[in-house]
């Protein structure tokens, strides 16, 4: 158990180190690419994910109006799995459970009971690494909630690492090796649940060096770097 928690701490420390390297860069990105995507970082290698497609800070990636739907975390670099899940809240009535995954920390679901169980399910397997929970008018405590993985027997006695960002925000890291389709958050003393984000990870392939064994037709239309340019748009080419 200590090994698992230590691994999570090391992973979190590495994340902080990477962020420091990114944020301390003095070089800035002054233009967008041909698909109107904005970038930031030392060599413009990180893609902006700001709400309403607003450009982020070219040095540290901060978004002036928050992250785009489906993204969260430092510089909005983490894809959100919670957005694709089905949520069910029991043991405590709520106004609208969809407010928990709408990407807006100012909209919250009210808990009227003394405790709650939030069931998060997917139609296919996901690999869980960490989540972020933000509550409204209550202070989170380590005892305020617990996390379970009902369809993964090997995690029944798993102790996850809780890192409190502030009094109302907590990041939870669990070192599990098997995929899951079902997560349960059990809690008490929480009055409102405002936001839940579940990390799908970061795309570390963006702007990396690529090579290929052969090229179809003429470059630059079919070069390997197009696979890591951050765009899913297709180039329509008229061939003779």
């Amino acid at each position: 158990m200590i090994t698992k928690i230590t691994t999570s701490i090391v992973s979190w420390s590495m994340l902080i180190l990477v962020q420091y390297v990114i944020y301390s860069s003095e070089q800035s990105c002054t233009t967008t690419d041909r698909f109107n995507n904005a970038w930031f970082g030392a060599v413009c290698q990180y893609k902006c994910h700001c709400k309403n497609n607003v450009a982020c800070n070219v040095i540290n990636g901060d978004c002036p109006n928050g992250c785009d739907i489906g993204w969260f975390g430092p510089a909005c670099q983490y894809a959100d799995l919670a957005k694709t899940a089905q949520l069910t809240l029991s043991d405590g009535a709520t106004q609208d459970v969809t407010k928990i995954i709408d990407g807006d920390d100012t909209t919250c679901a009210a808990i009227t009971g003394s405790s709650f169980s939030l069931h998060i399910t997917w139609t296919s397997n996901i690999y869980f690494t960490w989540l972020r929970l933000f509550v409204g008018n209550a202070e989170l405590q380590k005892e305020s909630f617990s996390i379970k993985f009902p369809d993964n027997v090997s995690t029944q006695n798993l102790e996850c690492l809780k890192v409190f960002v502030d009094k109302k925000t907590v990041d939870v890291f669990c070192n599990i090796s098997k995929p899951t389709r079902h997560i349960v958050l059990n809690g008490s003393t929480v009055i409102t649940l405002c936001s839940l984000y579940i990390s799908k990870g970061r795309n570390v392939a963006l702007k990396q060096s690529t090579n290929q064994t052969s090229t179809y037709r003429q470059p630059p239309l079919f070069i390997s770097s197009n696979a890591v340019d951050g765009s899913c748009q297709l180039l329509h080419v008229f061939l003779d």
Side-chain angles (χ1 to χ4, degrees), residues 2-239:
I2 294 176
T3 301
K4 292 181 179 180
I5 293 177
T6 302
T7 301
S8 297
I9 294 174
V10 171
S11 300
W12 183 244
S13 299
M14 289 298 293
L15 172 62
I16 294 174
L17 177 60
V18 170
Q19 291 171 6
Y20 174 78
V21 173
I22 296 171
Y23 293 178
S24 62
S25 169
E26 294 182 356
Q27 182 177 344
S28 63
C29 308
T30 57
T31 59
T32 56
D33 61 21
R34 67 185 186 277
F35 299 114
N36 201 34
N37 295 317
W39 299 80
F40 73 99
V43 289
C44 306
Q45 74 275 42
Y46 300 102
K47 189 177 180 180
C48 297
H49 296 291
C50 298
K51 187 178 295 184
N52 300 323
N53 203 32
V54 174
C56 64
N57 183 294
V58 295
I59 301 298
N60 59 27
D62 284 347
C63 291
N65 299 315
C67 302
D68 195 9
I69 295 295
W71 298 90
F72 77 104
C76 303
Q77 290 299 289
Y78 289 86
D80 181 22
L81 280 169
K83 188 64 180 175
T84 62
Q86 176 69 41
L87 269 61
T88 305
L89 191 61
S90 59
D91 299 327
T94 179
Q95 296 173 346
D96 187 356
V97 72
T98 60
K99 292 180 179 179
I100 304 173
I101 54 172
D102 63 359
D104 187 349
D105 292 346
T106 64
T107 60
C108 306
I111 306 298
T112 58
S114 59
S115 63
F116 70 90
S117 291
L118 179 63
H119 292 257
I120 308 132
T121 57
W122 292 266
T123 56
S124 59
N125 286 335
I126 63 104
Y127 283 89
F128 180 88
T129 53
W130 67 284
L131 65 78
R132 171 166 290 182
L133 181 67
F134 176 74
V135 302
N137 50 345
E139 286 191 15
L140 282 169
Q141 304 293 331
K142 288 187 177 181
E143 298 78 18
S144 296
F145 70 96
S146 61
I147 182 171
K148 301 292 182 183
F149 301 87
D151 59 353
N152 199 326
V153 177
S154 63
T155 65
Q156 294 306 309
N157 297 316
L158 177 67
E159 290 187 13
C160 299
L161 175 66
K162 298 177 182 178
V163 178
F164 289 85
V165 180
D166 53 43
K167 292 181 178 180
K168 297 182 179 181
T169 308
V170 62
D171 293 341
V172 182
F173 300 84
C174 300
N175 190 3
I176 62 175
S177 58
K178 294 183 179 180
T180 186
R181 296 188 184 189
H182 189 189
I183 298 174
V184 180
L185 290 179
N186 296 312
S188 60
T189 71
V190 174
I191 301 175
T192 56
L193 293 174
C194 296
S195 291
L196 172 69
Y197 305 97
I198 299 176
S199 176
K200 188 180 180 180
R202 300 176 61 190
N203 185 356
V204 296
L206 289 178
K207 296 296 185 74
Q208 298 301 307
S209 298
T210 63
N211 60 71
Q212 61 198 78
T213 56
S214 61
T215 302
Y216 174 72
R217 300 291 290 186
Q218 296 294 324
L221 298 178
F222 303 101
I223 57 177
S224 60
S225 60
N226 288 344
V228 293
D229 64 358
S231 177
C232 295
Q233 298 186 41
L234 297 177
L235 291 176
H236 297 278
V237 182
F238 293 94
L239 303 178

